[in-house]
Amino acid sequence: MNIVSTRGAERLVHVPLGERAYDILIGADLIKRAGGEFTARLRGRRAAIITDEHVGPLYLEALTDSLQTDGVETVSLTLPAGEKTKSLESLAAVTEMVLSARIERNDAVIALGGGVIGDLAGFAAGIVRRGVRFVQIPTSLLAQVDSSVGGKTGINSRHGKNLLGAFHQPDLVLADTAVLDSLSGREFRAGYAEVLKYGLIDKPDFFEWLEKNWKKVFEGGEERIEAIAISCQAKADVVAEDERETGRRARLNLGHTFGHALEAATEYDSRRLVHGEGVAIGMVLAHQFSARLNLASPDDARRIAAHLSDVGLPTRMSDIDGVLPPTEVLMSAIAQDKKVRSGKLTFILTHGIGQSFVADDVPASEVVGFLEDMRTR
Ligand SMILES: NC(=O)c1ccc[n+]([C@@H]2O[C@H](COP(=O)([O-])OP(=O)(O)OC[C@H]3O[C@@H](n4cnc5c(N)ncnc54)[C@H](O)[C@@H]3O)[C@@H](O)[C@H]2O)c1
Ligand SMILES: [Zn+2]
């Protein structure tokens, strides 16, 4: 761990990637100081801010004021909120706007929003002039603990999610924890599933800490900053070891093979299931499946499910509204998941809380039997 305390409760996580190294600052009201943090780290004095129609009206003015006070010229583009915005059409709008604003290589594109805006703006920053500077100001909990760290950027294609993209690391990430107060309860809980994931991967102490402190994380204050800093550090550690996702980074997908299958099975209808909810159910399933294979104790799955229920997250397939498609349909979604190699199914399994590992030889028949048993429970 090398989380550094800066001012008061504020934290700094450094992502050591040589020439592409950068800092993640985590604290309340960082947007109001964005100008100073920007000019301390970037040479350019122009920025194109990309945001969405939910976040822009709340925080764009404060960000613009701060940047302009420190001598950074800004332009902005506000896009519709939601996953549909990760499209080629939006990419065209963003790149044309960035070029019109005469953003040069040392100037920056700033993403002010959740993971949708971060992925889209980051991809645009990666391809305009073969790469301009990029600053992430993630405003959803999911974006603060997951999508803004690691440099994966991209958009969706008609062929599927995130199929067009590039690695483009940010130069600075400002995670303003106070903006999470305007996030809906459901979106906050969904992001929390990803926070808990880091405990389940390899940090049993963090899992226990969350069991005790989760209410304070939801309320705000120092515990929220701490939980986000530990999560960013956890992701940064993995990214620093495996920047282009070849090996260790796979464990970040704990709960995601089942989760993605459930998202596909509900046709990505966010009224029925949002990503973090799929991950919550998926993490419980991964532990239950590990217990069924005699790798872990069933008590672990029960303990995780109890905590997720306290928080208000779903834990079972039957918690999803409406009828789920047959098991074969879930299986075909699992088989299409990118973690399948040469006919064998790859899953992130576990020996217990904080003891996950990559298993790449899971027989499909075991998964079918398991899902058949679980879908009605
Ligand atoms: N690049 C990566 O490594 C990575 C990792 C995980 C997820 N992702 C991507 O992230 C996206 C999901 O991110 P998300 O969950 O942040 O979705 P999102 O960007 O759609 O944000 C969720 C909703 O919350 C709103 N919102 C965001 N911040 C707010 C705030 N402070 N106050 C009020 N409303 C706010 C948004 O307008 C939106 O309606 C997906 O496209 C996914 O593919 C990328
Ligand atoms: Zn996820």
Side-chain angles (χ1 to χ4, degrees), residues 52 54-55 58-59 81-83 86 113-117 119 139-140 142-143 146-147 149 152-153 161-162 179-180 182-183 187 235:
D52 78 20
H54 294 157
V55 177
L58 296 171
Y59 307 111
E83 188 68 30
K86 271 175 58 172
V116 164
I117 292 299
D119 280 10
T139 62
S140 69
L142 180 134
D146 191 352
S147 61
V149 185
K152 275 208 244 171
T153 71
K161 273 192 60 148
N162 298 322
V179 305
L180 301 181
S182 59
L183 199 64
E187 290 290 352
K235 181 145 185 200

Side-chain angles (χ1 to χ4, degrees), residues 210-227:
L210 287 167
E211 275 185 322
K212 292 195 192 83
N213 292 291
W214 69 271
K215 280 192 181 139
K216 293 181 192 151
V217 174
F218 276 65
E219 283 159 12
E222 284 189 28
E223 285 81 2
R224 180 185 288 174
I225 295 173
E226 195 64 20

Side-chain angles (χ1 to χ4, degrees), residues 142 146 194 197 252-254 256 260 275-276 279:
L142 180 134
D146 191 352
E194 305 278 3
K197 181 186 78 177
L252 294 172
N253 289 321
L254 177 65
H256 280 63
H260 285 150
H275 174 74
V279 171

Side-chain angles (χ1 to χ4, degrees), residues 55-302:
V55 177
L58 296 171
Y59 307 111
L60 181 58
E61 197 180 318
L63 175 60
T64 307
D65 285 353
S66 170
L67 288 163
Q68 288 177 354
T69 303
D70 281 282
V72 181
E73 269 182 58
T74 64
V75 289
S76 68
L77 179 64
T78 302
L79 295 164
E83 188 68 30
K84 285 207 170 74
T85 289
K86 271 175 58 172
S87 66
L88 273 174
E89 292 70 30
S90 308
L91 183 70
V94 173
T95 50
E96 290 302 323
M97 175 272 203
V98 171
L99 288 167
S100 310
R102 292 184 293 121
I103 298 292
E104 303 285 343
R105 294 196 65 169
N106 285 322
D107 299 325
V109 170
I110 301 181
L112 173 69
V116 164
I117 292 299
D119 280 10
L120 168 70
F123 190 27
I127 61 175
V128 167
R129 302 183 196 284
R130 297 200 184 80
V132 299
R133 303 285 165 194
F134 178 42
V135 174
Q136 286 265 23
I137 308 189
T139 62
S140 69
L141 180 56
L142 180 134
Q144 293 192 353
V145 301
D146 191 352
S147 61
S148 68
V149 185
K152 275 208 244 171
T153 71
I155 58 173
N156 304 326
S157 141
R158 268 188 291 126
H159 298 278
K161 273 192 60 148
N162 298 322
L163 291 181
L164 299 168
F167 282 94
H168 189 58
Q169 298 292 347
D171 296 276
L172 170 66
V173 181
L174 296 176
D176 185 331
T177 54
V179 305
L180 301 181
D181 289 338
S182 59
L183 199 64
S184 73
R186 189 173 180 205
E187 290 290 352
F188 194 98
R189 288 192 294 276
Y192 181 83
E194 305 278 3
V195 172
L196 195 72
K197 181 186 78 177
Y198 294 113
L200 297 178
I201 291 172
D202 61 358
K203 294 184 173 38
D205 298 348
F206 183 44
F207 176 83
E208 277 187 27
W209 184 88
L210 287 167
E211 275 185 322
K212 292 195 192 83
N213 292 291
W214 69 271
K215 280 192 181 139
K216 293 181 192 151
V217 174
F218 276 65
E219 283 159 12
E222 284 189 28
E223 285 81 2
R224 180 185 288 174
I225 295 173
E226 195 64 20
I228 294 170
I230 291 171
S231 301
C232 287
Q233 179 72 59
K235 181 145 185 200
D237 284 346
V238 176
V239 169
E241 218 175 273
D242 185 13
E243 187 182 357
R244 314 285 291 198
E245 188 161 345
T246 49
R248 226 197 104 182
R249 204 162 166 165
R251 280 206 293 171
L252 294 172
N253 289 321
L254 177 65
H256 280 63
T257 301
F258 289 123
H260 285 150
L262 294 171
E263 281 186 276
T266 50
E267 290 160 337
Y268 299 94
D269 179 351
S270 59
R271 287 165 301 186
R272 291 178 70 193
L273 194 73
V274 296
H275 174 74
E277 293 168 346
V279 171
I281 299 172
M283 292 189 302
V284 176
L285 288 172
H287 283 75
Q288 288 168 328
F289 188 44
S290 300
R292 183 179 167 112
L293 299 173
N294 288 319
L295 296 165
S297 157
D299 293 342
D300 291 325
R302 281 195 281 271

